[in-house]
Amino acid sequence: MIGRPVSVSAAVTTIPSVVVDRVRDGLVHGLGSGIPFLDLPFSCPEITALMADVEMRLRRVLDIPPDYEVLFAQGGAYAHFALVAMNLLAEGEVADYVETGLWARRAIDEAAKVALVTVAASSAGNGYRAIPPVGEWRLSPDAAYLHITSTESAQGVQFRDFPELSGGPLVADMTGDFLTRPIDVSRFGLIYASAQKSLGAAGLTIVIIRRDLLRPHAAAIPAVFDYRRLVEARSRVNTPPVFALYLADEMLRWIEGEGGLPELAERRGRRCERLYRLLDSSPIFRCRVRPEYRSAVSLCFDAVDPGRHAAILGAAAAHGLEYLDGHPAVGGFRLAIHNGHAEDDIDRIAEFLESIK
Ligand SMILES: *Cc1c(COP(=O)(O)O)cnc(C)c1O
């Protein structure tokens, strides 16, 4: 094996080693209080200041306009598949969904349990290899919102650009590519993302919502999942996920120190281009997704000879690359490129892809 093993899993992010060092230290010294971080009650001034800092940094990094609220919710994106519908829909209202892969499908299924939803477009028929062309979306004239999934981390498709549409606001599950590129937040009514794919630890779900969408809704919602209550309580209806917030704060500091999202997106672009070029020129591998829809976060591909799958996974592990296996629902291989990967990690991945003959 070559050095320490590297995870290429799309299920979690990669924490840069400098962030790991800072957090290890912080756990002991506790935000300057001298009390170990996990011994701090959530209502203490240090945690209050920490939460304000995470919000400030998130607003700065994503350039979030002032008419948006930033919520630190829990439950993961999977919980918010239904919660978004419960929080946004008034009595009798419907929402449109675009089905682009496994996560969009789950968002539709969960929302359909609590609300009226319609599937405006789907790429299920072609195995989710492309995003349905916007011109073919059959939008409901009176939909309260249109839901998209910015990156399908299981299938490896990504919206490179977001559709310009009239009608209800755009709602996006951005878990798959949150904080990987600059986005124009003002084009969305609501954005939600689980933290573990970009900010560190599971347990924290970021919800960014335009204030005018915090209206009376049809559903009876438990207080901890009610976006209006979360706004009023400054995300402290109950105990917030303080460790995940602490890690998020350190990740945001790191992102800013690296030059922010424009710099990280450019770096990612170079890295992806290099790796997709290797995959496309390899006689062993085949990319599943059409080039214009390929994800810059989650690269999904197959062995041309499926009989070699297990041996290739073994070779990856011997090269120090762990968790290359595709999503269980999809198969094949999946290679996630995270903000926190070092250039050395990318070199190692490239060497591995070239070594398979
Ligand atoms: C991982 C993922 C989810 C699920 O996140 P949980 O935190 O496990 O609920 C939802 N959507 C997308 C796009 C994802 O990549």
Side-chain angles (χ1 to χ4, degrees), residues 102-353:
L102 174 108
W103 290 114
R105 183 69 244 165
R106 289 180 174 172
I108 294 163
D109 290 343
E110 290 298 300
K113 291 177 182 172
V114 296
L116 291 170
V117 304
T118 51
V119 178
S122 173
S123 52
N126 73 10
Y128 303 120
R129 277 155 211 264
I131 286 171
V134 177
E136 293 169 17
W137 296 5
R138 298 156 64 94
L139 302 173
S140 314
D142 52 355
Y145 64 84
L146 169 67
H147 182 282
I148 61 168
T149 308
S150 59
T151 284
E152 290 285 355
S153 34
Q155 275 85 10
V157 299
Q158 181 175 35
F159 280 89
R160 293 283 171 91
D161 308 299
F162 296 107
E164 290 273 10
L165 298 164
S166 52
L170 203 52
V171 168
D173 171 9
M174 281 204 189
T175 303
D177 57 11
F178 194 56
L179 302 180
T180 61
R181 55 178 169 172
I183 50 159
D184 180 357
V185 174
S186 72
R187 304 234 344 241
F188 299 85
L190 187 150
I191 291 167
Y192 62 106
S194 290
Q196 74 274 14
K197 310 263 176 91
S198 53
L199 279 172
L204 170 64
T205 312
I206 306 290
V207 178
I208 301 167
I209 181 170
R210 211 174 60 211
R211 207 166 286 132
D212 63 292
L213 296 175
L214 293 159
R215 321 173 277 145
H217 39 66
I221 307 176
V224 296
F225 294 134
D226 184 330
Y227 297 165
R228 287 186 306 170
R229 279 295 304 277
L230 281 161
V231 169
E232 282 160 19
R234 304 208 62 78
S235 298
R236 296 204 276 192
V237 176
N238 67 336
T239 311
V242 290
F243 178 72
L245 282 159
Y246 179 39
L247 194 47
D249 194 52
E250 291 295 343
M251 283 297 280
L252 287 163
R253 281 172 200 267
W254 179 82
I255 288 171
E256 292 193 287
E258 292 295 297
L261 299 184
E263 168 60 28
L264 290 176
E266 201 204 297
R267 193 183 293 176
R268 168 178 303 282
R270 268 186 273 117
R271 291 172 169 187
C272 280
E273 200 181 317
R274 177 179 179 197
L275 298 180
Y276 275 123
R277 204 179 320 115
L278 286 175
L279 287 168
D280 282 335
S281 60
S282 160
I284 308 299
F285 299 116
R286 184 170 45 205
C287 275
R288 231 175 274 147
V289 178
R290 298 231 305 267
E292 62 272 38
Y293 303 110
R294 284 179 184 172
S295 169
V297 183
S298 180
L299 289 63
C300 294
F301 53 100
D302 298 295
V304 173
D305 172 5
R308 293 190 62 184
H309 181 89
I312 291 170
L313 281 184
H319 215 84
L321 299 176
E322 297 290 347
Y323 316 122
L324 182 66
D325 221 356
H327 189 282
V330 178
F333 303 110
R334 178 169 64 160
L335 181 60
I337 307 298
H338 295 298
N339 287 340
H341 275 131
E343 206 58 43
D344 280 359
D345 301 334
I346 307 300
D347 290 341
R348 176 129 42 125
I349 295 167
E351 281 161 23
F352 161 70
L353 293 175

Side-chain angles (χ1 to χ4, degrees), residues 11-24:
V12 284
T13 192
T14 297
I15 312 287
S17 55
V18 288
V19 174
V20 174
D21 289 345
R22 282 182 62 95
V23 169
R24 189 190 289 126

